[in-house]
Amino acid sequence: METVVDASTSEEANGSAVEKKPTVVFVLGGPGSGKGTQCAYIVEHFGFSHFSAGDLLRAEMNSGSENGLMIRSMINEGKIVPSQVTVNLLQQAMEESGNDKFLIDGFPRNEENRAAFEADTGIEPAFVLFFDCPKEEMERRILNRNQGREDDNIETARKRFKVFLESSLPVVEYYESIGKLQKIDAARAIEEVFESVKTVFASINEKVKPHGRAQKKFTLLKLQLKWKMNLLRNGVCKGY
Ligand SMILES: Nc1ncnc2c1ncn2[C@@H]1O[C@H](COP(=O)(O)OP(=O)(O)OP(=O)(O)O)[C@@H](O)[C@H]1O
Ligand SMILES: O=c1ccn([C@@H]2O[C@H](COP(=O)(O)O)[C@@H](O)[C@H]2O)c(=O)[nH]1
Ligand SMILES: [Mg+2]
């Protein structure tokens, strides 16, 4: 198993140890773009714990908790559950895991989610994976998924897609603007997509190994510049 080192942590300043924050990678993409599928492979190869915000909300909905009815109605309408509910579930899952490397799948879904997670946990993502897939392919995948999800029907899928465009893409664009976005072409076969994912994790690992503060800053600036050039050349998504 390969390891991934967070650029922002595990450093010593003035001889004293700085508190090591967990490494978080946000995994974003439209409904059905393949986030959960790829996260399972990443867990196997890179030792992360995977938490899908949607899965946590579905478990909470089925647990008989006081938020259950509210969550069911939001999910069936494709709407975004209030940040505090989702951030609490994510925080609890991370604390209970005993791990310090997390894939947070399907979150943050809007700017409010993003700000609430950062304010409550004090954690910023090491980077953000974005699975870019055409709408028609995502629809096909959702309608063929057959996992008994109440929201896997054409009507709700279209509502989820609209919410993705209006609320989630701006978060993707935000991470692009600060040089943290790693865009993956998700319209290919599962194995091909994972080859690209592997390259991202391997290259991050290589480039952010702990070294001097000045060199680390220089390396990050170079990386950000490279990502920005790529995004300028290719645009942020498949034009939906
Ligand atoms: N690259 C791929 N090619 C074809 N089918 C895929 C691919 N990746 C995933 N799938 C299939 O598409 C469906 C959706 O995948 P997955 O559940 O991973 O998406 P997701 O992004 O997590 O969706 P959601 O946002 O709805 O949770 C699943 O049935 C999965 O097996
Ligand atoms: O952060 C989140 C994540 C999910 N939701 C709601 O859950 C469904 C399903 O999410 P998946 O990622 O597709 O499993 C989503 O449409 C939202 O209604 C949320 O509110 N906040
Ligand atoms: Mg999923």
Side-chain angles (χ1 to χ4, degrees):
M1 184 191 297
E2 298 169 58
T3 53
V4 173
V5 182
D6 182 359
S8 64
T9 59
S10 72
E11 184 172 343
E12 299 226 336
N14 303 324
S16 59
V18 172
E19 186 202 352
K20 190 177 184 312
K21 283 189 186 163
T23 299
V24 164
V25 175
F26 288 145
V27 182
L28 303 179
S33 57
K35 301 179 292 296
T37 303
Q38 294 297 323
C39 282
Y41 284 96
I42 301 168
V43 166
E44 220 176 278
H45 283 74
F46 296 99
F48 279 70
S49 290
H50 166 218
F51 295 116
S52 149
D55 286 350
L56 291 173
L57 287 167
R58 279 182 287 276
E60 181 72 0
M61 170 181 101
N62 291 322
S63 73
S65 92
E66 57 178 352
N67 285 323
L69 284 178
M70 178 274 289
I71 295 173
R72 167 162 279 121
S73 118
M74 298 300 267
I75 288 182
N76 286 341
E77 282 304 307
K79 292 184 180 160
I80 300 172
V81 171
S83 298
Q84 219 44 63
V85 174
T86 317
V87 172
N88 285 346
L89 290 171
L90 286 168
Q91 256 186 309
Q92 194 183 340
M94 287 163 69
E95 277 161 24
E96 286 171 0
S97 74
N99 201 347
D100 64 354
K101 299 196 298 184
F102 303 103
L103 297 170
I104 308 281
D105 159 1
F107 179 96
R109 256 168 146 105
N110 60 15
E111 170 54 26
E112 194 212 344
N113 275 179
R114 190 196 70 71
F117 183 87
E118 207 176 300
D120 285 11
T121 65
I123 300 170
E124 284 185 45
F127 61 96
V128 177
L129 273 187
F130 169 50
F131 290 111
D132 188 23
C133 194
K135 182 179 180 221
E136 297 67 29
E137 175 63 15
M138 292 195 269
E139 249 181 43
R140 237 189 322 274
R141 290 181 189 177
I142 283 177
L143 298 179
N144 287 330
R145 179 156 44 186
N146 262 331
Q147 288 175 359
R149 277 179 54 168
E150 287 177 29
D151 57 346
D152 278 354
N153 57 73
I154 189 67
E155 199 190 329
T156 312
R158 290 195 170 146
K159 288 181 183 165
R160 287 155 67 194
F161 190 72
K162 187 164 184 282
V163 169
F164 168 70
L165 288 187
E166 289 172 359
S167 303
S168 311
L169 258 192
V171 177
V172 172
E173 283 158 2
Y174 166 75
Y175 284 118
E176 175 203 354
S177 77
I178 62 166
K180 285 200 172 183
L181 198 73
Q182 291 287 335
K183 186 173 71 157
I184 306 280
D185 176 1
R188 299 166 293 160
I190 291 173
E191 298 72 20
E192 280 178 57
V193 176
F194 188 59
E195 280 308 308
S196 302
V197 169
K198 254 196 329 207
T199 307
V200 168
F201 276 78
S203 99
I204 294 289
N205 202 23
E206 177 61 27
K207 288 180 174 127
V208 297
K209 272 186 189 132
H211 46 216
R213 190 181 279 264
Q215 194 188 347
K216 184 185 284 182
K217 204 165 174 190
F218 180 62
T219 307
L220 279 173
L221 282 172
K222 272 200 312 191
L223 268 177
Q224 285 175 356
L225 188 63
K226 195 172 152 206
W227 292 337
K228 278 189 183 143
M229 300 284 285
N230 278 341
L231 285 160
L232 275 177
R233 265 199 301 276
N234 304 327
V236 77
C237 66
K238 289 195 177 294
Y240 24 71

